[in-house]
Structures are given as structure tokens and as C-alpha cells.
Amino acid sequence: MRTVPATGRKLISVAAVSAALLTAATATAATAQDGATGDAAVAAARTEATPTTPAERLIVGYKSGASEATSNKAAEADAVAKGKEAGEDVDFRRRLGTGAALVDLGGNATTADLADVVAEYRADPQVAYVVPDRLNKPMATPNDTEYGKQWDLSEDTAGMRVPGAWDLSTGSGVTVAVIDTGYVAHSDLAANVVGGYDFISDTAVSVDGDGRDSNPADPGDWYAAGDCGSGVPAGTSSWHGTHVAGTIAAVTDNGKGVAGIAYGAKVSPLRVLGKCGGYDSDIIDAITWASGGTVSGVPANANVAKVINMSLGGDGACTSATQSAINAAVNRGTTVVVAAGNENDNVANHSPGNCNNVISVAATNRSGAKASYSNYGSLVDISAPGGQTSTGTANGILSTLNSGTKTPSTESYAYYQGTSMATPHIAGLVALMKSADPALTPAQIESAIKANARPIPGSCSGGCGAGLADAARTVQAVSGSGGTGGATFTSTPAIAIPDAGSAIESPLSVSGLTGNAPSTLKVAVDITHTYRGDLVIDLVAPDGSAYRLKASSSSDSADDVRATYTVNASGETANGTWKLRVQDTYAQDTGTLNSWALTF
């Protein structure tokens, strides 16, 4: 935060608000009768039927010469025999055009039942392959004219994989409060905007001629040179809140403009930022009101939000007043998502990104690395696409805007960059999750987002949270159709790491799970160390198998290891004692293993 010399007001600067405005099924088929299928192809085909794939039916291809390859009676007898061996009822349904047999396990088959039957077929030398009869769904691409420019939603390298979540949720039934500059009318967003409020109490900041009222319209936040402090140059209107709202819930599949992440959700605009920024007091009241709390002099909120987006911030610690408002909102069941900030600094120095009980979001660029401006640190929870226009305007985040430089003019679209742009990606994801499972608590939402993140594709120095958010995996997880459920086990006793000494091991007991660990086991590590390149880190499974998480490097002179690693531990039993092994391989620097965790 900074004090404006002309007025003595303590404001959250709109330039800091977001130094954000640094710029403007395919399938393959195998024939069962073709004896030309090689051993390698057979082996590859067999791996397609995994015990974790939900299925009620299996497609079984027999080798040429097997009686089951041509005789329905033989295939039926084989299905019954294999079901008996597996302890399941398995029936032959019909012959496919390729000659393969379709067999049915019934609607009550579990993944364990499926695994047993698959194992019986795999053990039969006459079986060429056994694969699940998967249920396919339409995968339509939105017809929004600018959708192809929204790399942040779907691009393989650094997109958030949003389209994969849309089959399960669009955010319907969820309201997201955007605490920002308000809303300027836009036809690609209007249908998803519900009533909000103007919380700016000071007319010098509001510039709309009055104090608080029920009209959150954004009149423009432009300012002349010197208005916001000595030496501060003039600035044009940002229409910042409208850009943020479009990322969350722009109307989708309407043949125009952009697609919103949670396009079935509603946005409630709450205006707290005007000329030169906004007061903490107004922001605190907006947080309270958005989440269903009572604010004196303000009518009850008819559109209580289960998600709050705050793409704003300033310098300094999170105050007790702000933290109190956030805690109360979370206790009411509202998830609070905030920008980490754009100073390329530790988020610990910037509020509200350093507050507790929030999801603090860092920004990545189109290559998947930490954006050059993004804040970082151990308080960052997750990363999301924020864009970086210095490498090309189209590498920013495209969303709804207005062409007016001072007051509203014609609606438009523009590329912006910043953690302000990354934050609504996560707010939109939270809306998708909450719609898929309304019972989710803010803590469960944060845990699932972290557990289902994927490793940051590019570099990040200083800490970028659990990784790059993955919308498809996360929504699949909370809807029970895939992803990581988020069962987390944590070891907290701190252990000193001896300098150039023997390895230390921290044990962690895992119980209450069934089957094997996932192929995407998350290992979160928190180590303080004055030269992390000295460290070698391994995950040790209950059977003693070791998985290298980090090798030593003489060129990595940065401090600390705060990272989440992904391990394919599908060959390991989940329950048992896991260990994190850490060794300092060079002299002169010391450290401590503070904690580590496994998320299954």
C-alpha cells in the first residue's frame, strides 16, 4: 500500500491493483481374426484395459485360430468360465464387426471386479487383447469467434485444460463475486451478470458523483498526471473488473467473442476500486456482503456468492481487519481467491495474497513458466495462466473490455497480463467444482485444486505453489469420475539435514486406503536450505523402492525447496510407511526438512 501525498489517503493502488495492466476421439481398432498382429501390438493392446478405467463391459479380441474368435457359443462359455474364476457374473453379449466379443460384467461391477476379470482374460494365451467398452461423449468446441485465441483455456503446453471439465460442469447455480472496478456493459457478458453493489464511499474515488449505492457500473478509473501521487503519470480507464468477469463467465457458444471458464455461473460485480485505487474498509465490507454477511446501511444480498475473486492488492502485511473479513467469509462457506501480485517479489510482502484462508494465485506465461512479473513464494497456493505480452500481444489473456479511454464507449476485447488475469481462472475453476459438488467446503476445494495440479511446464524460481491448475482433472476428482480424490497425509516433525552428511529419513504412515497408489501421487516438500543444489531427495515406498524427486546440482544456488512433485506410484501398495529421504551432498550449507505430504 502507499499513501497519496495530495490527500493522505491510504489506498490500494489501481496500478498495484494489478500491476496486471502492464499492457494493455480418435480411436484405433484391431481385428481379432487377423493373424498378422505382432507380439508388441498385443502387449500394447492389453495395457489398454486398466483396473482404474470405469467400465461395465469389455471388448475381447481372440487370436486367429481360437474357437472363441468365430464361435459365439465358445465365447459365451469362455466368458462364464472366466467370470467363475474371478468370482463374477460375466456374460457374452454379441460379436462386433471386427470379430471381437463384447462381454458384460453388469451394472454393479466395481473397479476391483473389473481388475479381476481383466486379469483372467490377460492370462489366457488365446486372448489378443481386452479393453474397456468406454462411454464416449460429444466434445464440441465452442463457436465463440475469438475462442481460438484463448490459449489459456486449452493449449497443451500451458493451458488450464478447461474444455475437459465442461462435460461435467459449467458452473451452473454458482455466483462469483468480482470485487473490483465494477462492470461496464458488454453483450458477451450481460446475460451472466446479476445484481451487485457499489461499495466506494468516497466520492473522490468513486467519480460517479455519489457514495455507496446498488449500481456497480464502472464509470471509468482514469486519472490525470499527479492525481494519484507526485510523479505518477496519467492513466486511462482499465475496465479491469469487466476483463476479470469475462474470464470467469463470458457467455459461451453464442457465436461471438470469448468463452468463459464457468459460463454457466453468474457474476456479481462489487465495485471497490475507482480513481487511484480503493480503501481497505470498502473491500472488507464487500467481502462481508458478498459472502452473505450483514453490512450496516446496505440491503441484504440477494445473490450470495460461493466464490470471491479479488484481483487487487497492495504492499504490506495482511491486516487483522482484512483477515477477519476473509475468515468470516470462509466460515460462511465462500472460497476466497486472490492475486499473488505483480512485483516479481515474495508474496509475503503483499496483501491480500499473503493472507490466510485464501487461495493465492501466481501467474504463468504461454510457455508454462512463471511470468516475469508474478510474485512467488511459499504462500502461493497455485499457478494459472496470466499471460505475458512482452513476448507478443497474443500471449496475453483475451477477455471482455471497453474501448473508452476515460468514460465508457463501445464494447471490445483486449489482451491483458497479470496475476489479476490468473486469479479469475481459479475463481472460474472453483465455480465449476462447486457446481459439480455443492457440498464442497473451501478447504476441500483448495486441497483438490492442489492435489490435481500438474507440474509447471516451465521454470519457476522461488515457489509457484502446487503447480499449474488442471481444470479437467480437478472437476473429474470432485465429481467422482477421475482425478485425485485428495486424501492427504502429512508429516510435520522438523528434521535437521546434516551438512555433507548421511541421509535423513522422515517416515509417514498411510492407512485407510485401498489398492495401489495413483500414477499421479503428489509429494509436497517444504525444506529450508541455504543452497538447495546440495540436496538429493527421494521418495521411498513401503516396499523400499526409491523414486528420485530431485538430484543435486552445483549450479542451483537458490535457497529452499518448496515444491510438489508427481510420482507414478501405481505399482506400490498405498497403505504402509512411506519415507522422504534427503541428503546434503556438499559442504558449507545447512537446512531443515520442515514438513512433507502425500496426496493420493
Side-chain angles (χ1 to χ4, degrees):
M1 297 184 186
R2 60 185 173 78
T3 300
V4 180
T7 63
R9 299 192 201 97
K10 193 178 184 185
L11 303 179
I12 291 184
S13 154
V14 93
V17 163
S18 191
L21 308 182
L22 301 176
T23 239
T26 52
T28 55
T31 173
Q33 295 116 324
D34 188 351
T37 303
D39 291 341
V42 171
R46 284 182 174 175
T47 65
E48 293 179 57
T50 62
T52 57
T53 304
E56 296 176 3
R57 304 185 299 191
L58 295 171
I59 300 171
V60 182
Y62 291 93
K63 292 181 180 179
S64 178
S67 60
E68 295 87 349
T70 54
S71 167
N72 290 353
K73 184 176 181 179
E76 168 67 24
D78 191 41
V80 171
K82 287 184 168 54
K84 184 176 181 180
E85 289 294 324
E88 306 296 335
D89 291 326
V90 182
D91 296 316
F92 171 81
R93 290 287 297 273
R94 61 185 172 87
R95 183 77 57 180
L96 304 188
T98 60
L102 179 65
V103 300
D104 193 339
L105 281 73
N108 296 321
T110 66
T111 54
D113 298 336
L114 175 67
D116 291 341
V117 175
V118 167
E120 291 297 326
Y121 276 109
R122 283 180 174 173
D124 187 341
Q126 296 302 311
V127 172
Y129 59 84
V130 53
V131 298
D133 186 17
R134 298 176 300 192
L135 182 64
N136 293 268
K137 299 179 181 180
M139 297 185 68
T141 298
N143 63 15
D144 304 78
T145 55
E146 305 301 307
Y147 176 71
K149 300 175 182 178
Q150 292 180 275
W151 61 268
D152 48 306
L153 302 191
S154 60
E155 204 160 84
D156 287 342
T157 300
M160 211 173 77
R161 299 180 178 173
V162 175
W166 284 335
D167 282 342
L168 299 171
S169 177
T170 63
S172 177
V174 179
T175 297
V176 182
V178 175
I179 299 179
D180 212 295
T181 63
Y183 164 67
V184 62
H186 200 293
S187 64
D188 203 15
L189 185 55
N192 283 341
V193 174
V194 296
Y197 207 81
D198 181 355
F199 277 94
I200 302 178
S201 52
D202 189 311
T203 55
V205 177
S206 69
V207 302
D208 61 358
D210 56 30
R212 293 183 170 182
D213 57 43
S214 60
N215 181 10
D218 185 351
D221 56 359
W222 67 276
Y223 47 90
D227 280 355
C228 298
S230 177
V232 177
T236 58
S237 290
S238 67
W239 317 113
H240 189 269
T242 300
H243 195 280
V244 168
T247 297
I248 296 170
V251 178
T252 300
D253 219 24
N254 61 341
K256 66 178 294 183
V258 295
I261 291 170
Y263 60 83
K266 301 299 183 184
V267 166
S268 173
L270 275 60
R271 186 167 180 250
V272 298
L273 301 174
K275 184 176 182 178
C276 302
Y279 285 105
D280 277 356
S281 55
D282 290 341
I283 294 168
I284 287 168
D285 278 352
I287 294 170
T288 302
W289 190 80
S291 58
T294 300
V295 176
S296 178
V298 180
N301 186 0
N303 300 293
V304 174
K306 289 304 178 185
V307 191
I308 287 175
N309 186 104
M310 290 200 291
S311 292
L312 48 76
D315 297 338
C318 179
T319 67
S320 298
T322 298
Q323 188 64 67
S324 177
I326 290 170
N327 290 346
V330 171
N331 288 339
R332 295 184 196 103
T334 298
T335 301
V336 182
V337 187
V338 303
N342 306 303
E343 293 80 17
N344 189 27
D345 186 24
N346 195 310
V347 69
N349 301 319
H350 304 276
S351 175
N354 56 8
C355 293
N356 296 321
N357 256 350
V358 301
I359 299 177
S360 185
V361 186
T364 51
N365 60 27
R366 197 167 182 173
S367 67
K370 183 186 85 68
S372 61
Y373 53 80
S374 178
N375 287 348
Y376 51 84
S378 61
L379 296 182
V380 169
D381 294 301
I382 195 70
S383 293
Q388 188 156 335
T389 56
S390 62
T391 59
T393 301
N395 293 335
I397 305 300
L398 185 65
S399 189
T400 48
L401 211 70
N402 192 277
S403 63
T405 58
K406 290 186 176 181
T407 57
S409 182
T410 56
E411 65 179 42
S412 64
Y413 301 86
Y415 291 95
Y416 276 175
Q417 66 173 19
T419 55
S420 278
M421 284 60 254
T423 304
H425 283 77
I426 300 302
L429 172 54
V430 175
L432 295 177
M433 297 167 69
K434 194 69 176 176
S435 179
D437 184 357
L440 288 171
T441 67
Q444 289 170 330
I445 286 170
E446 180 177 344
S447 177
I449 290 174
K450 291 179 177 179
N452 290 284
R454 67 188 196 269
I456 296 230
S459 61
C460 172
S461 178
C464 286
L468 181 61
D470 188 315
R473 278 178 49 84
T474 305
V475 175
Q476 287 166 6
V478 300
S479 62
S481 59
T484 299
T488 300
F489 299 81
T490 304
S491 177
T492 55
I495 303 175
I497 305 169
D499 185 27
S502 57
I504 58 108
E505 289 187 342
S506 174
L508 180 58
S509 179
V510 173
S511 61
L513 302 181
T514 58
N516 285 3
S519 60
T520 54
L521 178 66
K522 301 289 186 180
V523 189
V525 178
D526 183 347
I527 295 174
T528 52
H529 196 277
T530 50
Y531 197 104
R532 68 184 182 201
D534 291 358
L535 299 178
V536 175
I537 306 174
D538 293 295
L539 175 68
V540 182
D543 67 356
S545 300
Y547 297 83
R548 178 59 49 89
L549 304 181
K550 178 190 174 301
S552 62
S553 172
S554 60
S555 61
D556 186 1
S557 61
D559 294 342
D560 308 333
V561 179
R562 292 187 175 93
T564 299
Y565 302 92
T566 302
V567 173
N568 182 354
S570 57
E572 306 289 347
T573 301
N575 291 331
T577 300
W578 296 74
K579 298 176 183 178
L580 191 74
R581 179 187 297 153
V582 184
Q583 184 172 17
D584 186 329
T585 58
Y586 296 94
Q588 297 182 345
D589 292 275
T590 59
T592 302
L593 170 60
N594 301 308
S595 66
W596 68 286
L598 293 175
T599 300
F600 290 80

